[in-house]
C-alpha cells in the first residue's frame, strides 16, 4: 500500500536555526503514527510541513500523492495545532458548525463531532468559559468534523484527564480502523505504546522509525522510555 | 466527497465566514451597543458644538457640512479598527493558520469579513442617519437611503484597508497605530478641513489618490442635490473599486506558508 505521507530530505530553517536537517520518512495509511521527541525537537515543524503551512528550505513532502498544502488536499487533511485554535468568543457548537460549513458538512455532522470528543453537555458554552482540556477537545472536534483522510494532531492530549486520554486514543484507533491516517505528536511515553508506528525525533533528525515492538527489540528493553534513552546514547556514542 | 473545489471563490464559504463573524459580534453585547450608538452620540456633540454659531450668509451651516461628512467617516474609522484587531486575533489565536488549511480560499475569508462588517455598518448607518435628521436637524438634500449606501461603501473600504494593514502588524500595539497612519492623512486631505481647491497643488494631487476623498465628495453631492448625481455614482465607484483592490492586495499578502 502506498504511504499516506512521504517526506524526502526535508530541510527547514527557522531564523538562523536548522530545525529539520534532511529528514526522510513515510507514514503508512490507516494507522496511528506517533511523533515523539522533546520540546524543540522539530515535531511541530514537521507537522506544519505535512499540512503545508511551513516554509521549507529544500526537500519534498507528499500527502496522498499530492504536494503538501496543495488545494486538492485541503478537504482531505485535518490539522489540530498544539494551542487550541478555535474562536473563544463562540460556543463549542458554533465553532464546530463553522468548520463543518467550511468542509461542506452540516449541523448534524458538527453535533456528532462535538459529541465524539465528549463535549455534548458543553456544546452551548462559550469556548472562553471552558477549561484548557475542554478547549483542546473543542479544537479537535473542529478537525474531526471534516472527516479528513489524514489527521495531523499536535499534542492533542496535553492536560487531559487520564480517562479522557484513553477515550481519545480509542477514538484515534477507531478512525484509523475506518481508514484514516493519523500523525499524532506527544511527549508522553505511555502514549507511544499506543501507536502503531513511532517516529522518534531529536534535534531535527530521526532516531527511530519503527513499530513499538521493533523499538523495544532493537534497544533490548520492554520499557519504551528506557528504549529511547538507550537509542539516544547509542547514537551519541557513534557520533563521538 | 461533497466538498466543493477548493481555492476558488465560493459564495457558500464566504457566507459561512460572514455568519461566523456576525455570531462573534452577537456574543459581544457591548461592542454591538458601541457600534450602533456611539456615532449618534458623537454627532450629537458636534451638533451642540455648532448650535449657536451662525451660518455664513448663503451657505449651509457648518454642522450640516461637517455632520454629513462624519456620516461617512465614522463607519470608515470604526470598521478599520475593528477589522484590523479581528484579523490580528485570527493570527495570534492560530485560527488563521487553521483556516488556511481548509478548502476556504483567502479571498473567501476576506470577503466574508467585508460582508459581515458591511452589514454591521448598514445597521449603524441607518441609526446614525435617522438620529441625525430627526434629533439634530441635519439638513440633507439628497435621498437618505443613498447616504446609508455611501456609509456602507465607506465601511467596506475601512474593512478592506484594515485587513490589508493587519498584514503588516505584528502586535496589537502596531495594529492600533496603523489607524492614524492610514486614517488621519485621508481625513486631513479629504476636503473637510480645507476645501480641496484651496490646497497646495501637490497636496491636491495626493488627495486625488486617497479613496476617502471620494467618499466625502459623494456625501457632499447628496448634501446639495435632491437626487443622485453622476458624480456621486462615480465617487461611489471609486470607493468600491479601492475597497476591492485593497481586499485583493490583502489576500495576496496573506501568506499560507510561514516560517
Amino acid at each position: 500500500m502506498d504511504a499516506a505521507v512521504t517526506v524526502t530530505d526535508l530541510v527547514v530553517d527557522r531564523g538562523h536555526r536548522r530545525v529539520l536537517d534532511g529528514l526522510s520518512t513515510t507514514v503508512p495509511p490507516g494507522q496511528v503514527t506517533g511523533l515523539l521527541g522533546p520540546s524543540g525537537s522539530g515535531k511541530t515543524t514537521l507537522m506544519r510541513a505535512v499540512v503545508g503551512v511551513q516554509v521549507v528550505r529544500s526537500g519534498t513532502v507528499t500527502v496522498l500523492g499530492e504536494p503538501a498544502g496543495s488545494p486538492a488536499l485541503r478537504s482531505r487533511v485535518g490539522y489540530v495545532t498544539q494551542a487550541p485554535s478555535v474562536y473563544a468568543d463562540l460556543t463549542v457548537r458554533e465553532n464546530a458548525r463553522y468548520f463543518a460549513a467550511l468542509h461542506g458538512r452540516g449541523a448534524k455532522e458538527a453535533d456528532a463531532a462535538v459529541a465524539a470528543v465528549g463535549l455534548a453537555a458543553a456544546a452551548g458554552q462559550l469556548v472562553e468559559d471552558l477549561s484548557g482540556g475542554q478547549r483542546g477537545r473543542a479544537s479537535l472536534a473542529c478537525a474531526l468534523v471534516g472527516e479528513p483522510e489524514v489527521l495531523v494532531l499536535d499534542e492533542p492530549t496535553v492536560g487531559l484527564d487520564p480517562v479522557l486520554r484513553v477515550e481519545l486514543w480509542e477514538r484515534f484507533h477507531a478512525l484509523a480502523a475506518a481508514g484514516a491516517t493519523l500523525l499524532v505528536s506527544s511527549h508522553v511515553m505511555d502514549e507511544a505504546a499506543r501507536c502503531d508506528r513511532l517516529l522518534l525525533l531529536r534535534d531535527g533528525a530521526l532516531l527511530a522509525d519503527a513499530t513499538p515492538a521493533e523499538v523495544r527489540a532493537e534497544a533490548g528493553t520492554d520499557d519504551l522510555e528506557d528504549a529511547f534513552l538507550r537509542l539516544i546514547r547509542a547514537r551519541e556514542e557513534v557520533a563521538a | 466527497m461533497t466538498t466543493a473545489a477548493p481555492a476558488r471563490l465560493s459564495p457558500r464559504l464566504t457566507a459561512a465566514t460572514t455568519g461566523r463573524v456576525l455570531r462573534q459580534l452577537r456574543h459581544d453585547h457591548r461592542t454591538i451597543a458601541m457600534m450602533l450608538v456611539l456615532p449618534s452620540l458623537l454627532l450629537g456633540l458636534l451638533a451642540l458644538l455648532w448650535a449657536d454659531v451662525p451660518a455664513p450668509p448663503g451657505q449651509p451651516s457648518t454642522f450640516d457640512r461637517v455632520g454629513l461628512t462624519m456620516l461617512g467617516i465614522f463607519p470608515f474609522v470604526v470598521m478599520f479598527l475593528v477589522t484590523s484587531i479581528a484579523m490580528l486575533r485570527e493570527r495570534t489565536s492560530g485560527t488563521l493558520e487553521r483556516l488556511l488549511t481548509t478548502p476556504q480560499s483567502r479571498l473567501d475569508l476576506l470577503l466574508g469579513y467585508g460582508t459581515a462588517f458591511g452589514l454591521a455598518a448598514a445597521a449603524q448607518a441607518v441609526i446614525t442617519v435617522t438620529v441625525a435628521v430627526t434629533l439634530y436637524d441635519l439638513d440633507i438634500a439628497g435621498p437618505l437611503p443613498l447616504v446609508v449606501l455611501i456609509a456602507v461603501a465607506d465601511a467596506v473600504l475601512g474593512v478592506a484597508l484594515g485587513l490589508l494593514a493587519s498584514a503588516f502588524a505584528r502586535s496589537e500595539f502596531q495594529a492600533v497605530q496603523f489607524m492614524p497612519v492610514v486614517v488621519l492623512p485621508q481625513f486631513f486631505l479629504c476636503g473637510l478641513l480645507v476645501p480641496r481647491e484651496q490646497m497646495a497643488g501637490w497636496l491636491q494631487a495626493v488627495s486625488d489618490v486617497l479613496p476617502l476623498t471620494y467618499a466625502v465628495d459623494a456625501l457632499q453631492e447628496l448634501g446639495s442635490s435632491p437626487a443622485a448625481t453622476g458624480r456621486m455614482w462615480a465617487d461611489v465607484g471609486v470607493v468600491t473599486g479601492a475597497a476591492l483592490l485593497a481586499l485583493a492586495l490583502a489576500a495576496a499578502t496573506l501568506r499560507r506558508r510561514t516560517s
Side-chain angles (χ1 to χ4, degrees):
Chain A
M1 217 171 178
D2 284 345
V5 179
T6 307
V7 180
T8 313
D9 299 326
L10 183 64
V11 178
V12 175
D13 291 339
R14 296 189 76 179
H16 294 294
R17 202 167 75 88
R18 179 142 299 182
V19 182
L20 294 178
D21 194 7
L23 187 137
S24 296
T25 187
T26 56
V27 175
Q31 289 193 5
V32 180
T33 299
L35 184 54
L36 285 111
S39 176
S41 59
K43 300 192 297 288
T44 297
T45 304
L46 177 57
M47 297 187 131
R48 282 169 45 87
V50 169
V51 296
V53 295
Q54 177 67 51
V55 173
V56 304
R57 184 181 175 84
S58 63
T60 57
V61 182
T62 308
V63 181
L64 302 172
E66 307 256 0
S70 63
L73 287 177
R74 281 178 211 140
S75 55
R76 304 173 72 191
V77 178
Y79 175 40
V80 181
T81 52
Q82 196 171 344
S85 45
V86 280
Y87 297 96
D89 49 357
L90 290 181
T91 66
V92 175
R93 187 183 291 118
E94 286 169 336
N95 268 293
R97 289 191 178 177
Y98 176 50
F99 284 98
L102 294 186
H103 285 101
R105 305 294 202 278
K108 220 168 78 185
E109 286 97 329
D111 293 346
V114 170
V117 297
L119 281 181
Q125 281 187 43
L126 290 178
V127 169
E128 63 193 5
D129 295 334
L130 300 180
S131 72
Q134 286 177 315
R135 286 185 202 198
R137 281 185 284 150
S139 191
L140 180 60
C142 292
L144 294 179
V145 77
E147 297 169 83
E149 295 163 59
V150 174
L151 193 50
V152 179
L153 307 172
D154 199 351
E155 309 241 2
T157 58
V158 170
L160 284 192
D161 165 282
V163 179
L164 258 171
R165 230 168 66 184
V166 170
E167 277 177 22
L168 274 186
W169 275 96
E170 281 166 0
R171 174 148 296 276
F172 297 161
H173 281 287
L175 288 169
T181 303
L182 283 88
L183 181 61
V184 184
S185 77
S186 173
H187 60 257
V188 189
M189 285 302 161
D190 73 337
E191 294 191 339
R194 298 179 180 277
C195 298
D196 299 313
R197 200 168 177 84
L198 293 175
L199 300 173
L200 177 65
L201 205 57
R202 194 162 188 268
D203 293 335
L206 277 179
L207 273 188
D209 184 350
T211 66
E214 286 165 355
V215 170
R216 288 191 188 100
E218 193 191 331
T221 168
D222 268 352
D223 181 54
L224 274 176
E225 177 108 42
D226 194 29
F228 280 143
L229 206 58
R230 290 188 192 190
L231 287 175
I232 291 168
R233 293 215 173 110
R235 178 68 60 97
E236 277 168 356
E237 274 163 30
V238 172
Chain B
M1 280 283 139
T2 51
T3 41
R8 210 172 294 163
L9 266 189
S10 151
R12 189 175 54 78
L13 298 183
T14 301
T17 295
T18 301
R20 185 263 295 176
V21 174
L22 289 176
R23 267 187 283 278
Q24 285 179 293
L25 268 184
R26 204 184 61 195
H27 286 295
D28 188 350
H29 300 154
R30 190 178 298 178
T31 294
I32 295 183
M34 290 176 84
M35 218 177 237
L36 296 183
V37 176
L38 219 52
S40 301
L41 293 178
L42 288 171
L43 208 59
L45 188 62
L46 284 178
L48 290 172
L49 188 65
W50 277 296
D52 298 327
V53 181
Q59 282 181 36
S61 79
T62 314
F63 175 65
D64 280 347
R65 194 170 62 87
V66 175
L68 179 60
T69 307
M70 283 299 163
L71 291 177
I73 289 178
F74 283 139
F76 174 73
V77 175
V78 171
M79 295 306 162
F80 177 91
L81 269 179
V82 168
T83 4
S84 47
I85 296 290
M87 202 58 191
L88 199 73
R89 270 169 53 186
E90 291 263 17
R91 256 175 237 280
T92 49
S93 69
T95 46
L96 179 64
E97 180 161 286
R98 179 172 211 164
L99 290 178
L100 293 177
T101 66
T102 70
Q104 185 181 44
S105 79
R106 293 172 288 182
L107 206 51
D108 278 329
L109 172 66
L110 299 185
L111 284 175
Y113 262 103
T115 312
F117 288 127
L119 288 171
Q124 183 190 59
V126 167
I127 292 175
T128 317
V129 171
T130 309
V131 170
V133 296
T134 53
L135 244 57
Y136 310 146
D137 293 322
L138 185 72
D139 212 2
I140 304 173
L144 298 183
L146 283 178
V147 177
V148 172
L149 175 82
I150 295 170
V152 171
D154 293 353
V156 173
L157 178 68
V159 168
L161 290 177
L163 290 170
L164 181 58
S166 77
F168 300 98
R170 290 283 180 86
S171 67
E172 287 85 346
F173 290 160
Q174 293 179 12
V176 169
Q177 293 192 86
F178 270 113
M179 202 278 277
V181 171
V182 176
V183 172
L184 286 186
Q186 300 205 60
F187 177 66
F188 293 162
L189 298 180
C190 73
L192 180 69
L193 301 183
V194 174
R196 280 169 27 85
E197 47 291 351
Q198 292 174 27
M199 291 178 195
W202 68 275
L203 279 179
Q204 243 185 76
V206 174
S207 163
D208 281 344
V209 296
L210 297 177
L212 195 65
T213 304
Y214 298 88
V216 169
D217 193 63
L219 285 170
Q220 297 300 347
E221 285 291 296
L222 284 180
S224 52
S225 155
T229 64
R231 177 163 168 177
M232 184 215 86
W233 286 118
D235 285 335
V236 171
V238 171
V239 172
T240 314
L244 291 178
L245 182 68
L247 276 180
L249 282 174
T253 51
L254 203 58
R255 294 265 78 95
R256 197 177 291 279
R257 284 178 188 271
T258 51
S259 51

